[in-house]
Amino acid sequence: MSHVQGDAKKLLARVRRIGGQLGSVERAIAEGAECGAVLQQLAAVRGAVNGLIFQMMEGHLTAHVGGQDSGMPEEELAPVLAVLRSYMK
Amino acid sequence: MSHVQGDAKKLLARVRRIGGQLGSVERAIAEGAECGAVLQQLAAVRGAVNGLIFQMMEGHLTAHVGGQDSGMPEEELAPVLAVLRSYMK
Amino acid sequence: MSHVQGDAKKLLARVRRIGGQLGSVERAIAEGAECGAVLQQLAAVRGAVNGLIFQMMEGHLTAHVGGQDSGMPEEELAPVLAVLRSYMK
Amino acid sequence: MSHVQGDAKKLLARVRRIGGQLGSVERAIAEGAECGAVLQQLAAVRGAVNGLIFQMMEGHLTAHVGGQDSGMPEEELAPVLAVLRSYMK
């Protein structure tokens, strides 16, 4: 089973939460909300998408890379994940 | 009328397109798609969210800043927008 | 006096600190350091550059936009700076 | 020999180029250049740092992951590198 299938429930919950946030952005624009409020909501959507991408990248690398049969020992994966995290905050 | 209201139709179309992209991510995860394919779709969602945030920021700054009564002449807004664009590609 | 001239001392101190960080990256690579250690140092350089760009953008917008003669009241500048900060962490 | 040692010459050349760019930022600020010009130079430094980080990440993952003894076949590394590239433009 791929890590996507293994984590499907958690991943789907995150995607649906982002869908909900996006729905609020849509309502805010339709109701003529102030630009500042819409910008704040969009920044939150961006943060949530970044978080989901990090979870997927971490799962992908850990599943294929961190495993015993992989060429990359655990401690060499750590700095890769640390740099990813700094980009995906 | 605020620039959000003025651009509402275009902004709403973009938000709904992102909603559609997110729907495909949801289906891909639910159907057990390969992680690589889901990552690619999420990277596209991220790019679309960044593009929408840039459009909102540009509208906000141009509406309030580029106007005759503003303290910032047009050519001083250009480098700000150029830096924003480099972050929001 | 432009805000760059006004903040020159602080800005130059930050630029020189980044230069120092870059010098350590150069030594680490020349001495054959582990990739993980070099990556960590580069991520710190990136964070410092982002912080400097945010300081410049904030100074530029506040000097030209937040001022009394500007078309953008203070509270409309706040969400712009909040979004910038989220990108420049 | 680690990939950092193998690529040391190219990596050092990139680090020194960034150092040169940083030197120009320092001179521009010291000479009271316009904020817009300094911002543009800083955005170029940021792009160069991002490019160097991507080269390091690609080298690290390819050296440890793409190799025959690794748990991650080549085609599963490609989407990881594509997402990294989108963040490190």
Side-chain angles (χ1 to χ4, degrees):
Chain A
M1 176 190 283
S2 85
H3 67 92
V4 172
Q5 289 159 328
D7 291 342
K9 237 176 126 194
K10 271 190 283 177
L11 293 171
L12 286 171
R14 279 188 98 153
V15 172
R16 288 172 187 143
R17 254 199 316 274
I18 296 171
Q21 288 175 287
L22 209 56
S24 334
V25 171
E26 190 173 341
R27 277 188 301 282
I29 294 172
E31 291 158 9
E34 275 305 314
C35 175
V38 177
L39 269 173
Q40 237 165 340
Q41 290 181 303
L42 276 173
V45 170
R46 172 182 172 260
V49 171
N50 271 340
L52 180 53
I53 290 176
F54 179 76
Q55 181 181 348
M56 291 284 299
M57 291 281 269
E58 187 178 35
H60 192 71
L61 288 167
T62 312
H64 297 286
V65 171
Q68 312 68 2
D69 60 354
S70 88
M72 178 183 278
E74 199 72 31
E75 66 275 11
E76 293 204 21
L77 185 55
V80 171
L81 294 177
V83 169
L84 287 184
R85 207 173 276 116
S86 72
Y87 275 88
M88 297 174 181
K89 277 180 276 192
Chain B
M1 175 190 284
S2 85
H3 66 93
V4 174
Q5 288 158 329
D7 292 340
K9 231 175 131 196
K10 271 190 284 178
L11 293 171
L12 286 171
R14 279 188 96 152
V15 172
R16 288 173 187 140
R17 254 198 318 274
I18 296 171
Q21 288 174 289
L22 209 56
S24 331
V25 171
E26 190 174 339
R27 277 189 301 282
I29 294 172
E31 289 157 11
E34 276 305 316
C35 175
V38 178
L39 269 174
Q40 236 166 342
Q41 289 181 304
L42 278 173
V45 170
R46 172 181 172 261
V49 171
N50 272 341
L52 180 53
I53 290 176
F54 179 76
Q55 182 180 348
M56 292 284 299
M57 293 280 269
E58 187 177 35
H60 192 70
L61 287 167
T62 311
H64 296 285
V65 171
Q68 311 71 2
D69 60 356
S70 87
M72 178 184 277
E74 200 73 30
E75 68 274 12
E76 291 204 20
L77 185 55
V80 171
L81 295 177
V83 170
L84 288 184
R85 206 173 279 116
S86 72
Y87 276 88
M88 297 174 182
K89 276 181 278 193
Chain C
M1 175 191 285
S2 84
H3 66 93
V4 172
Q5 288 158 326
D7 292 340
K9 232 174 133 198
K10 270 189 283 178
L11 292 172
L12 285 171
R14 279 188 98 151
V15 172
R16 287 173 187 140
R17 253 197 320 273
I18 296 172
Q21 288 175 287
L22 209 56
S24 332
V25 171
E26 188 173 341
R27 277 188 301 282
I29 293 171
E31 290 157 10
E34 277 305 316
C35 175
V38 178
L39 269 174
Q40 238 165 342
Q41 290 181 304
L42 278 173
V45 169
R46 173 181 171 262
V49 171
N50 271 340
L52 180 53
I53 290 176
F54 180 75
Q55 181 181 349
M56 291 283 301
M57 291 280 267
E58 187 177 36
H60 192 69
L61 288 167
T62 312
H64 297 285
V65 172
Q68 311 69 0
D69 59 356
S70 88
M72 178 184 278
E74 199 73 31
E75 68 275 11
E76 292 205 22
L77 185 55
V80 171
L81 294 177
V83 170
L84 286 184
R85 208 173 277 115
S86 72
Y87 274 90
M88 297 174 183
K89 276 180 273 190
Chain D
M1 176 190 285
S2 85
H3 68 92
V4 173
Q5 289 157 327
D7 291 341
K9 234 176 129 196
K10 272 190 282 180
L11 293 171
L12 286 172
R14 280 188 97 153
V15 172
R16 288 171 187 142
R17 256 199 316 275
I18 296 171
Q21 288 175 287
L22 210 56
S24 329
V25 171
E26 189 173 342
R27 277 188 301 283
I29 294 172
E31 290 156 11
E34 277 304 315
C35 174
V38 178
L39 269 174
Q40 235 165 343
Q41 289 181 305
L42 277 172
V45 169
R46 172 181 171 261
V49 171
N50 271 341
L52 180 53
I53 291 176
F54 179 76
Q55 181 180 348
M56 290 285 298
M57 292 281 268
E58 186 177 36
H60 192 71
L61 288 167
T62 311
H64 296 285
V65 172
Q68 310 68 4
D69 60 355
S70 88
M72 178 184 277
E74 200 71 32
E75 67 276 11
E76 292 207 21
L77 185 54
V80 171
L81 294 177
V83 169
L84 287 185
R85 208 174 275 116
S86 73
Y87 276 88
M88 297 175 183
K89 278 181 275 191

